[in-house]
Amino acid sequence: MDAIVIEGNGPLHGETYASGAKNAALPILASALLAPGEHTFRNVPDLADVRTMLKVLDTMGCESQRLKGKKQDTVLIKVPQRVHPEAPYELVKTMRASVLVLGPLTARYGRARVSMPGGCAIGARPIDQHLKGLEALGAEVDLQEGYVETRAKRLKGAPVTFDLITVTGTENLLMAAVLAKGRTLIENAAREPEVEELARVLNKMGARISGAGSDVITVDGVDELKPVDHAIIPDRIETGTLLVAAAITGGDVLVKRAAPEALEPVIQKLREAGCKVTVEGDGIRLVAGSRVHAVDVKTQEHPGFPTDMQAQLMALLATAHGTSVVAETIFENRFMHVAELRRMGADIAVDGHTAVVRGVARLSGAPVMATDLRASASLVLAGLHAAGKTKVARVYHLDRGYERLEKKLRALGAKIRRVKDR
Ligand code: EPU
């Protein structure tokens, strides 16, 4: 198992870039199932989660291939006329987002058998809303031996109002509705940029979706879709993580090929904390002041502050001047980084969904480990700031969602390396 060793060595400087967005790539790769033929996806990050999704598709009979050399960000997927519509437990248990094949399989092949994802480190995470959406469109849904099984002749468009806002639930329903007969009206839809991006790709395939990016989405079903060639949007969470790396080290970093608009809520908070953040073309530059000051933050669905940046911002606030209050409203258990940050000298108290973070002038390096992706990123950031050596174990969590994070940080001057751990 790999670990990452960091020795805090002062400000990061220079230019880096954002890779393609993990949470846009996953539904988009699943959407290929809707259109037999050969798809070309560009700017696809080379991450463990993306490899898992490609494995899910290949298990069903698709043929995926990542190009080499300069075109290594390109993935080709050949989708046959008939697939074996099953996502097995062995794959779904490693990545919940495998459930994104449920919508397209039901819509295009009339049948799906997908292992039911269990809870995960950040919460129980049920999929009742995904199933509610499919049932509203006429699918029969059964739970058998830990698998969700769906059957449908042709789905029929219908109005669906989600009981709560769900990102992959909205994506699953969109992918089901595009081939349904008639109109589907999705209310209380997720507004995340990744949902908008999926709709863009589906429309390129020939779907008729309007309103994506707002909380009401209209889908007029079509009879068939065709394969696409599409470049995926930049990863706003990776961008935000790199900006916090600049902030926590008192540095000056330009993240190129970013999507500034999608990151507005994070940029606002970093500015409030005293950082100078400017948009330069498709890039975002952060110039840190001396020590950041405390800010309060509450995670919310887009366009609120993203839960996927909460742990990273908390690492920064742990070093701020003053006391910050961080409220997590999306997941019930997303404070696992707190205990590890405390091991590095952070002063953080948690009460339910709220963390009170009293900034300290300097964290100190320690061996730490994380139980999820963004918590790992937060510990790497804390390590960049800390005095002495930090060893972050269980790096496979980080590798699920960041492409070469340590290489990007090293190029900015960080003293960071990957080592083999026991
Ligand atoms: N929920 C339900 N029932 C459902 C669906 C969701 O109760 O049927 C609850 C969840 O348990 C959670 C809340 O609703 O408390 C929001 O969950 P959502 O469905 O929006 O999350 P998700 O679609 O499973 C995606 C991202 C997550 C990100 C969340 C929130 C992907 C592949 N994953 O998950 O990304 O945190 O939206 O923005 O898009 C990450 O990248 O680190 C990550 C966890």
Side-chain angles (χ1 to χ4, degrees), residues 22-23 26 97 122 125-130 164-168 192 307-308 330-331 334 373-374:
K22 168 177 86 80
N23 289 348
L26 296 175
I122 60 177
R125 300 181 79 181
I127 57 161
D128 55 303
Q129 298 301 308
H130 300 231
L164 50 81
I165 300 176
T166 158
V167 176
T168 50
E192 268 65 6
T307 172
D308 290 346
I330 308 293
F331 291 109
R334 216 175 194 181
L373 161 60
R374 307 302 172 188

Side-chain angles (χ1 to χ4, degrees), residues 83-107:
V83 301
H84 174 61
E86 176 164 329
Y89 177 65
E90 291 66 44
L91 294 174
V92 179
K93 77 173 183 205
T94 64
M95 185 184 72
R96 301 178 46 80
S98 315
V99 80
L100 282 164
V101 296
L102 203 50
L105 286 177
T106 311

Side-chain angles (χ1 to χ4, degrees), residues 21 23-24 27 167 171 192-199 233-234 236-237:
N23 289 348
V167 176
E171 292 166 347
E192 268 65 6
E194 293 77 17
V195 173
E196 217 178 327
E197 171 75 345
L198 172 66
I233 51 168
R236 62 193 168 106
I237 305 301

Side-chain angles (χ1 to χ4, degrees), residues 44-111:
V44 183
D46 192 6
L47 306 169
D49 274 9
V50 165
R51 288 191 285 273
T52 304
M53 183 56 89
L54 294 175
K55 219 181 272 174
V56 170
L57 297 178
D58 289 352
T59 311
M60 292 178 188
C62 301
E63 287 172 40
S64 67
Q65 181 200 353
R66 183 176 282 278
L67 299 186
K68 298 211 162 43
K70 280 198 174 141
K71 290 191 170 169
Q72 61 172 2
D73 73 334
T74 301
V75 167
L76 308 180
I77 305 180
K78 265 193 216 155
V79 181
Q81 283 297 332
R82 301 293 328 158
V83 301
H84 174 61
E86 176 164 329
Y89 177 65
E90 291 66 44
L91 294 174
V92 179
K93 77 173 183 205
T94 64
M95 185 184 72
R96 301 178 46 80
S98 315
V99 80
L100 282 164
V101 296
L102 203 50
L105 286 177
T106 311
R108 174 67 179 71
Y109 305 92
R111 205 159 73 82

Side-chain angles (χ1 to χ4, degrees), residues 207-226:
R208 291 170 58 204
I209 302 171
S210 60
S214 79
D215 60 351
V216 181
I217 306 180
T218 307
V219 186
D220 286 303
V222 297
D223 291 338
E224 60 175 11
L225 297 170
K226 53 182 191 313

